[in-house]
Amino acid sequence: MTTNDNKKPQKVLATYALIALIAIFLLNIFVLPGLLERSIKETSYRDFLMSLDSHQVQEVQFDTQNYTLYYTIKVDDRVQTCKTGIMNVSDELIDRIYTSGADFSNVIPTQQSPLMNLFVGLILPMLVFFGIGILLQKWMTKNMVGGPGGAMSFGKSNAKVYVKSSTGIKFSDVAGEDEAKELLSEIVDFLHNPEKYREIGASMPKGALLVGPPGTGKTLLAKAVAGEADVPFFSISGSEFVEMFVGMGAAKVRDLFKQANEKAPCIVFIDEIDTIGKKRDGNIGGNDEREQTLNQLLTEMDGFDGSKGVVILAATNRPDSLDPALTRPGRFDRRIPVELPDLQGREDILKVHAKKIKVADNVNFREIAKAASGASGAELANIINEAALRAVRDGRRFATQADLEESIEVVIAGYQKKSRVLSEKEKLIVSYHEIGHALVAAMQNNSAPVHKITIIPRTSGALGYTMQVDDGEHFLMSKEEIENKIATFTGGRAAEELIFHSITTGASNDIEQATRLARAMITRYGMSDEFDMVAMENVSNQYLGGDASLACSAETQALIDQKTVQVVRTQHEKALQILQDNLSKLHELAKYLYEHETITGEEFMNILLRKPEGISDAATN
Ligand code: ADP
Ligand code: MG
Ligand code: ZN
């Protein structure tokens, strides 16, 4: 805190005291007497005597010093206090009041004490005002720390502070993500036993950056750290730094680190750090506010002493957009990947969340995990919840395997759209389309077998879909596998062409995916003869869908487009050939799907492998 900061509140306080004093005097002179007097009605002495004679007066009080007489009368059930001037209290008047039946007394001389008057009128309000003033000052100095303008609460970082167990989330609530948990528990351990590390001379990383796609549990992991560590935990979201007023974001950063330094050892968690940590691009007229906030963050991270035990965690799903200065060692020197869960991870996550609901004993979580390939932790949590909701809807006490299977589809493709009725012809086309995908996938032995095919329309707009199951986990894909995948995507359209000799709009999503794969083969995976191992595209946002930007000349672009078409066309022809070769199976399966609307992978394989009806063993081979 600078001296400048110290002076300001005092100046403010002096001004405040002056205003308070003036206010008190004005109140005393004009407002208060008026308020006291307002309720008392001034009457003439004659009115008083008349009321007295008509027995309306209830009580009389003499204030002989001020030559005043106060009396109360009852008008329409309401008691009204009146006053009137009086010369002196004669015995005759006393007699008259006495006979009217009213009560009477002399005024109790409270107002006569000048000391009391002074106290009530001046000193008491002053004390109250000063009390408020001091409170106000305390509050302001607290908020103004670092605030450039000192404008009330603007400079305050409204970081939420958690201490142990207030979040209630432990590492055990986070399933999978073992590497991330291991790295983070080291940090927790350091905060608990710094001596152990200091002896060797190791210093803790100042910051750790959790990166990964949305919904993989980054925020959850940070909360678990808060739950495990016995130290204060400041949590703030990057967007909270972004202020309407230039400079306020920086002030908030300063305040946050000041608080953290006071509370050390502690953990500071900045969620969605990309909102403030974006690369500074040098554009003139860029977002000045964000840049200032980032600069402040960089300065603060350099400024504090790592051995003190302030650890900064941050989470983002756009690590490539972060400013390199932010991610260099010494600031966020640890990068903790939080990836989409693998099969085992998915199963564990399902189990963790299933503890919160009632499930049947015979539920096979591995099967669910297999079917939900590619789902994030958040989606898996959602699947469990949807299953519970479905069970309630159907009046069951616990969720079953069927509930879980259905909810995978709900999460992936939306709810069943009961109102949409396909015409017979459309239903038939959709049946052939979906079987086309499945058959092409099944006949190329490298493609994963299907799990389920349905032609029940979904709220997502899909008229039907084929759910494929990855049996094992793949981390590498061969060129052949990608080609087979493209062929599978084209299989739906191929079936339509083959059977109906016409094409529909139903394949737009397939086309999109096939194109993306084919393009990636050429521009990114180096799988074409022309370009060898040259990258023609750069991918940004790998965790958010992966937008690609071309990095090549216009001629090359044209060539890439040609090559892409060529790859897809080859696979399309291959798919057509496969279907042509298995035409009877295509008809058989499509007919079955048309009748049943849903077909499981098992049924599919049974039909596919069973021998054609009416043909003896010898005839097949
Ligand atoms: P993000 O990575 O986008 O910050 P969150 O941490 O907010 O994701 O996760 C959202 C929700 O998904 C969590 O509240 C939790 O219910 C669930 N979830 C995600 N990953 C896991 C996991 N590994 N184990 C258990 N639940 C998880
Ligand atoms: Mg998050
Ligand atoms: Zn399709």
Side-chain angles (χ1 to χ4, degrees):
M1 196 195 265
T2 61
T3 41
N4 197 15
D5 282 328
N6 258 331
K7 260 184 200 160
K8 263 188 183 143
Q10 279 170 12
K11 216 169 159 186
V12 173
L13 192 68
T15 326
Y16 170 79
L18 200 73
I19 294 171
L21 268 179
I22 294 170
I24 290 167
F25 276 114
L26 290 180
L27 273 177
N28 261 296
I29 294 168
F30 295 110
V31 185
L32 286 178
L35 271 181
L36 285 175
E37 296 288 295
R38 179 164 299 164
S39 57
I40 299 176
K41 191 173 154 198
E42 215 157 320
T43 61
S44 66
Y45 194 64
R46 195 183 120 85
D47 285 341
F48 165 63
L49 289 182
M50 273 166 62
S51 314
L52 198 62
D53 288 344
S54 57
H55 300 285
Q56 275 177 317
V57 178
Q58 292 185 321
E59 198 182 343
V60 181
Q61 274 192 4
F62 306 106
D63 185 353
T64 41
Q65 268 192 357
N66 296 313
Y67 302 104
T68 315
L69 181 151
Y70 296 94
Y71 66 97
T72 57
I73 51 171
K74 204 167 178 177
V75 219
D76 315 329
D77 282 352
R78 212 164 47 84
V79 176
Q80 165 78 54
T81 307
C82 306
K83 77 172 188 181
T84 181
I86 185 175
M87 283 298 135
N88 54 350
V89 185
S90 62
D91 290 345
E92 186 202 349
L93 180 61
I94 302 272
D95 272 350
R96 210 161 157 180
I97 297 171
Y98 183 73
T99 43
S100 81
D103 204 2
F104 60 97
S105 64
N106 200 0
V107 116
I108 302 151
T110 41
Q111 285 160 333
Q112 272 101 338
S113 156
L115 254 178
M116 194 69 172
N117 242 346
L118 193 71
F119 182 75
V120 173
L122 215 62
I123 297 177
L124 192 68
M126 255 152 100
L127 286 179
V128 171
F129 269 103
F130 275 104
I132 296 173
I134 285 165
L135 282 179
L136 206 69
Q137 187 212 12
K138 266 194 185 155
W139 180 69
M140 276 198 303
T141 35
K142 208 175 88 198
N143 290 336
M144 280 199 350
V145 176
M152 298 292 169
S153 72
F154 292 135
K156 191 172 155 50
S157 78
N158 19 37
K160 294 179 269 302
V161 183
Y162 297 107
V163 269
K164 192 187 174 180
S165 83
S166 71
T167 64
I169 294 170
K170 297 270 179 181
F171 279 143
S172 57
D173 292 313
V174 188
E177 311 299 351
D178 292 327
E179 301 78 15
K181 278 199 274 190
E182 203 177 302
L183 288 168
L184 288 170
S185 38
E186 195 183 32
I187 291 176
V188 171
D189 187 50
F190 173 82
L191 292 173
H192 287 171
N193 318 298
E195 292 313 318
K196 194 167 90 186
Y197 293 81
R198 248 176 244 146
E199 244 166 47
I200 289 194
S203 63
M204 198 69 269
K206 274 187 184 175
L209 190 62
L210 297 159
V211 298
T216 45
K218 297 183 294 296
T219 309
L220 190 72
L221 270 167
K223 283 188 182 153
V225 171
E228 297 276 345
D230 231 337
V231 299
F233 182 86
F234 296 88
S235 164
I236 190 164
S237 172
S239 60
E240 285 171 60
F241 288 117
V242 182
E243 279 276 351
M244 200 155 51
F245 304 105
V246 173
M248 289 308 166
K252 281 188 172 183
V253 173
R254 236 175 296 157
D255 179 50
L256 177 67
F257 279 85
K258 186 171 176 292
Q259 282 187 47
N261 260 323
E262 281 165 6
K263 293 257 161 64
C266 69
I267 298 168
V268 176
F269 174 52
I270 306 175
D271 207 354
E272 315 289 354
I273 196 172
D274 46 285
T275 37
I276 49 167
K278 274 209 202 86
K279 275 191 193 101
R280 289 161 293 184
D281 45 14
N283 279 354
I284 297 173
N287 192 339
D288 234 16
E289 164 65 358
R290 214 189 55 220
E291 214 150 281
Q292 282 188 27
T293 312
L294 173 59
N295 283 336
Q296 191 63 44
L297 185 65
L298 297 177
T299 318
E300 292 291 345
M301 286 194 77
D302 277 343
F304 72 87
D305 179 6
S307 62
K308 230 180 149 185
V310 181
V311 175
I312 300 158
L313 293 182
T316 179
N317 34 37
R318 314 191 49 190
D320 44 356
S321 76
L322 289 182
D323 198 279
L326 197 60
T327 47
R328 75 145 166 77
R331 293 205 179 104
F332 286 109
D333 31 19
R334 237 185 219 183
R335 184 184 270 233
I336 303 179
V338 187
E339 296 288 348
L340 285 175
D342 56 11
L343 182 59
Q344 187 59 47
R346 288 199 298 273
E347 191 182 336
D348 294 342
I349 293 174
L350 284 170
K351 281 181 181 159
V352 163
H353 286 279
K355 278 190 200 128
K356 297 175 198 157
I357 67 164
K358 289 202 178 109
V359 284
D361 299 333
N362 59 355
V363 166
N364 185 343
F365 286 108
R366 190 143 198 114
E367 280 302 308
I368 308 294
K370 265 189 198 169
S373 74
S376 69
E379 279 166 328
L380 293 168
N382 199 9
I383 285 172
I384 294 285
N385 192 47
E386 283 292 340
L389 289 176
R390 202 178 110 104
V392 173
R393 225 175 285 139
D394 292 357
R396 254 174 282 115
R397 295 265 211 67
F398 46 82
T400 61
Q401 184 89 11
D403 288 328
L404 285 161
E405 300 224 337
E406 169 63 22
S407 58
I408 299 173
E409 287 167 54
V410 167
V411 170
I412 294 172
Y415 287 96
Q416 289 188 0
K417 207 163 186 173
K418 301 237 165 65
S419 61
R420 176 175 289 173
V421 184
L422 293 180
S423 72
E424 295 301 295
K425 173 90 199 253
E426 279 172 333
K427 211 170 128 187
L428 201 62
I429 294 177
V430 175
S431 302
Y432 272 99
H433 179 107
E434 296 305 331
I435 293 296
H437 284 305
L439 198 55
V440 172
M443 297 319 285
Q444 311 170 106
N445 41 14
N446 283 339
S447 286
V450 291
H451 179 80
K452 188 174 181 179
I453 309 166
T454 105
I455 52 166
I456 300 169
R458 295 275 164 175
T459 45
S460 68
L463 297 178
Y465 64 89
T466 304
M467 241 164 111
Q468 299 207 3
V469 183
D470 286 318
D471 245 347
E473 293 288 322
H474 296 276
F475 300 100
L476 286 176
M477 270 220 273
S478 68
K479 184 178 173 191
E480 203 192 355
E481 279 171 324
I482 299 184
E483 283 174 345
N484 287 347
K485 253 194 144 148
I486 297 173
T488 303
F489 282 129
T490 59
R493 163 65 64 86
E496 287 181 42
E497 285 171 89
L498 209 58
I499 307 299
F500 302 99
H501 304 292
S502 75
I503 49 180
T504 66
T505 54
S508 61
N509 186 37
D510 303 335
I511 292 172
E512 215 178 291
Q513 300 206 47
T515 311
R516 194 182 310 148
L517 272 179
R519 230 186 149 72
M521 276 175 77
I522 295 160
T523 58
R524 280 162 40 204
Y525 304 140
M527 289 179 176
S528 71
D529 308 328
E530 280 76 13
F531 302 124
D532 202 51
M533 285 183 62
V534 177
M536 298 296 163
E537 255 180 14
N538 295 322
V539 181
S540 50
N541 273 339
Q542 54 160 325
Y543 292 126
L544 298 173
D547 315 326
S549 52
L550 279 170
C552 57
S553 68
E555 294 87 62
T556 316
Q557 266 182 43
L559 193 57
I560 290 172
D561 291 338
Q562 264 180 37
K563 287 276 150 201
T564 311
V565 174
Q566 204 179 316
V567 168
V568 176
R569 176 164 289 145
T570 314
Q571 295 313 314
H572 189 175
E573 272 157 18
K574 184 168 118 197
L576 274 168
Q577 192 57 51
I578 290 174
L579 293 178
Q580 185 77 61
D581 293 347
N582 297 280
L583 206 55
S584 61
K585 286 292 171 198
L586 177 61
H587 283 304
E588 202 179 337
L589 284 160
K591 185 164 165 268
Y592 187 91
L593 179 61
Y594 178 79
E595 281 160 8
H596 292 78
E597 297 200 335
T598 302
I599 174 171
T600 65
E602 229 167 284
E603 287 171 310
F604 178 87
M605 288 320 276
N606 282 343
I607 297 174
L608 187 63
L609 297 176
R610 101 180 153 206
K611 294 175 193 84
E613 289 143 32
I615 301 174
S616 71
D617 267 15
T620 52
N621 70 41

